[in-house]
Amino acid sequence: MFARKQRPAIDAGAGPQQGNFLIAVDDGRHATAEDQRALQAVLPENARCTLRDSAAIKGRDLANAQFVLALFADAQAMDRLADAVQQVREGGGTTTLILVVQPSALAALGRWLSQRAESERLVGTRLMVASTIIEVIEQLPRRLIPVQECNVIRMPQSTEIENAPKSSFFTFSPQIQDLIRRIRAFADNGITRAYLLGGPGSGKTSLAYYYYLSRRKGRFVSVNLLAEDTGDKSAVKSLLCGHVPGAFPGAGARAGAFDIAQDGVCFLDESHGVMGAVMETLMEALDNGQYMPYGAAAKRPLKCALIFATNRSWEHLLSSVNIDEFTRLGAATLQVPELCEREEDLIAVTATTLARLASPCTTWDPPTGVDPAAWQRIRDCRWHGNVRALIRTLEAAFVETATGATSRNDLIDDVAIGRGIALWEPAEHHSHAIYASSVDAPRSTER
């Protein structure tokens, strides 16, 4: 079926250097012995490819398997394999599960991911979308990087509300896994100021919350500096530092963000708005690690960690803020990769969004996924608006498809995705230049 391909070069530290590579096939129909030989051709020299039916795979079979490739498996088969992989990893193993789904089955994948994330059983997993075994073989070398970090960050939809429902921030791609590892190292080694740089909708709040989870103490408090900056220093000071009774007529005591976050994390979002009254208040706290509540007679020690975030580029920040004030922030920088660089996270967001949109449908027949051309368009889009723009695009395309505005309504097609992109992710927009980006050069469609 396939001509033998030249073995690709794989990073010495990236892929499997020894051991087995187990291919799991749900019903035995997706791959033949010839396919097995073709898959073997893209593995490292000392890795062995074994073709098995997923129903026959036991936990002990995975003890020496570095990777398990699940080809177009259904939810039940994915559960069996994911449970087995989780058991191996809990025992100290490092097996990684690579799930391959067709673009037409993305909604089913989304339901599965959501269920596993909510039950905190989503570990050691990588994702791939492909329509044929040929596409699997082409993409496989880029998936041969073991998963070392969690696959999801669970956080409250609102950090300010007690017992708020939780949402999932998926972390499948190696780029975001590297960032998570670095954030955890910051928390473990006493770095208490950091600057998260990332475009709109790239997940800065979720990553700041992960830093808080890694610290394992205090509370998480989020403040949008741009929204709160009214130019009134007393109001800003009260917000961040609090105020004492009698600070102004009729005033009672108020705990500020620094007080509430005691020993925890104060997340200062939209910090490109740090100037004027906000900057003056911060400088008082950052210069000496102390702050004074409005109307108080004595200062208090600043004990919380400060995580700043902005969607502006570093160059934009330097040109818009006084450099002397800016350097006093004293924050190490953390660049959040753009969604267009994180294909596996793109898959997870697409899948879970389609599943979420389909869930409440009563009179519509919701699409089960997208067609191959539509998936290619999603993969190739720049996504300046990152997750937010992708979700808006999928919502528009979903409604158009489910209401029968396209020729078929079981799959979202390329035309519907194109119209959604035109609405929510225009290729040219005046704001693109000011946003932070880890994409420094024109991006190749090669993944």
Side-chain angles (χ1 to χ4, degrees):
M1 184 179 298
F2 304 112
R4 187 174 180 84
K5 295 187 176 184
Q6 182 178 357
R7 192 181 305 276
I10 298 179
D11 233 49
Q17 298 305 302
Q18 58 185 359
N20 301 322
F21 188 95
L22 181 63
I23 300 176
V25 183
D26 180 37
D27 56 11
R29 294 182 301 177
H30 293 112
T32 66
E34 194 170 354
D35 298 333
Q36 180 181 358
R37 289 191 293 271
L39 286 161
Q40 178 70 60
V42 300
L43 299 180
E45 294 286 355
N46 51 0
R48 182 168 58 87
C49 172
T50 305
L51 193 63
R52 298 284 296 276
D53 191 306
S54 67
I57 293 174
K58 308 299 181 185
R60 62 178 179 272
D61 298 323
L62 305 185
N64 298 315
Q66 288 188 306
F67 292 88
V68 179
L69 179 66
L71 295 171
F72 314 118
D74 61 21
Q76 186 177 13
M78 289 193 294
D79 268 333
R80 285 197 301 269
L81 293 169
D83 288 341
V85 167
Q86 183 169 356
Q87 183 178 6
V88 170
R89 294 175 75 92
E90 288 173 351
T94 59
T95 303
T96 295
L97 173 64
I98 305 173
L99 295 178
V100 183
V101 300
Q102 295 181 334
S104 59
L106 278 168
L109 173 65
R111 289 190 292 273
W112 185 85
L113 289 174
S114 296
Q115 291 167 1
R116 298 290 297 195
E118 290 168 8
S119 60
E120 299 184 354
R121 295 185 301 139
L122 190 58
V123 297
T125 303
R126 302 205 60 186
L127 302 177
M128 184 191 303
V129 170
S131 298
T132 65
I133 296 292
I134 294 176
E135 292 181 9
V136 173
I137 293 169
E138 290 172 347
Q139 296 183 55
L140 186 57
R142 299 191 296 277
R143 295 298 190 272
L144 299 183
I145 302 175
V147 174
Q148 298 177 352
E149 304 297 330
C150 56
N151 282 135
V152 63
I153 298 171
R154 294 283 290 167
M155 65 172 292
Q157 293 178 4
S158 173
T159 58
E160 312 301 326
I161 300 176
E162 293 288 338
N163 301 317
K166 289 189 174 182
S167 60
S168 298
F169 178 77
F170 292 104
T171 56
F172 289 97
S173 296
Q175 298 90 334
I176 206 74
Q177 293 254 320
D178 289 343
L179 180 58
I180 283 176
R181 190 156 46 248
R182 190 168 182 227
I183 289 172
R184 190 176 63 252
F186 275 30
D188 290 344
N189 292 281
I191 301 299
T192 57
R193 294 186 199 173
Y195 219 126
L196 280 165
L197 302 170
S202 58
K204 298 183 290 296
T205 301
S206 297
L207 293 166
Y209 194 80
Y210 179 74
Y211 171 85
Y212 160 71
L213 292 176
S214 300
R215 277 173 60 88
R216 298 179 294 277
K217 59 183 179 180
R219 296 180 63 179
F220 182 84
V221 178
S222 178
V223 178
N224 187 309
L225 292 181
L226 195 61
E228 299 291 350
D229 186 9
T230 62
D232 183 347
K233 185 175 180 179
S234 61
V236 172
K237 192 173 183 68
S238 175
L239 174 71
L240 296 176
C241 306
H243 61 245
V244 299
F248 49 86
R254 175 189 181 180
F258 296 157
D259 294 306
I260 298 171
Q262 185 86 342
D263 294 325
V265 175
C266 184
F267 175 55
L268 302 172
D269 200 6
E270 302 284 2
S271 56
H272 49 271
V274 176
M275 56 188 65
V278 173
M279 181 62 81
E280 291 173 15
T281 302
L282 281 175
M283 289 307 97
E284 293 172 1
L286 298 177
D287 269 348
N288 299 306
Q290 299 176 327
Y291 64 96
M292 182 179 290
Y294 186 61
K299 293 185 177 182
R300 299 175 185 175
L302 180 67
K303 293 184 178 180
C304 63
L306 297 178
I307 301 296
F308 301 92
T310 181
N311 57 31
R312 301 298 196 262
S313 68
W314 193 253
E315 292 75 14
H316 177 83
L317 292 176
L318 290 177
S319 64
S320 62
V321 179
N322 181 289
I323 190 65
D324 179 57
E325 294 177 332
F326 194 63
T327 53
R328 296 189 194 189
L329 298 178
T333 60
L334 294 162
Q335 179 72 55
V336 182
E338 298 289 292
L339 185 62
C340 65
E341 298 178 293
R342 298 155 37 202
E343 183 180 353
E344 291 172 74
D345 302 324
L346 182 74
I347 293 170
V349 173
T350 300
T352 53
T353 300
L354 292 179
R356 174 180 59 81
L357 293 171
S359 177
C361 288
T362 54
T363 60
W364 291 348
D365 290 325
T368 61
V370 303
D371 68 21
W375 174 245
Q376 187 65 42
R377 183 177 284 245
I378 291 171
R379 289 179 70 228
D380 290 345
C381 185
R382 170 58 180 79
W383 298 117
H384 291 90
N386 291 285
V387 172
R388 198 172 295 128
L390 173 61
I391 290 174
R392 295 288 89 78
T393 295
L394 291 171
E395 287 173 344
F398 181 94
V399 170
E400 180 175 326
T401 305
T403 55
T406 56
S407 57
R408 55 182 295 186
N409 61 2
D410 56 334
L411 296 178
I412 297 173
D413 64 18
D414 178 48
V415 174
I417 291 295
R419 288 176 180 151
I421 289 174
L423 285 171
W424 301 110
E425 178 57 30
E428 301 294 335
H429 192 274
H430 65 85
S431 65
H432 291 344
I434 67 172
Y435 289 137
S437 173
S438 53
V439 182
D440 297 321
R443 186 172 57 91
S444 168
T445 57
E446 175 66 24
R447 299 287 181 117

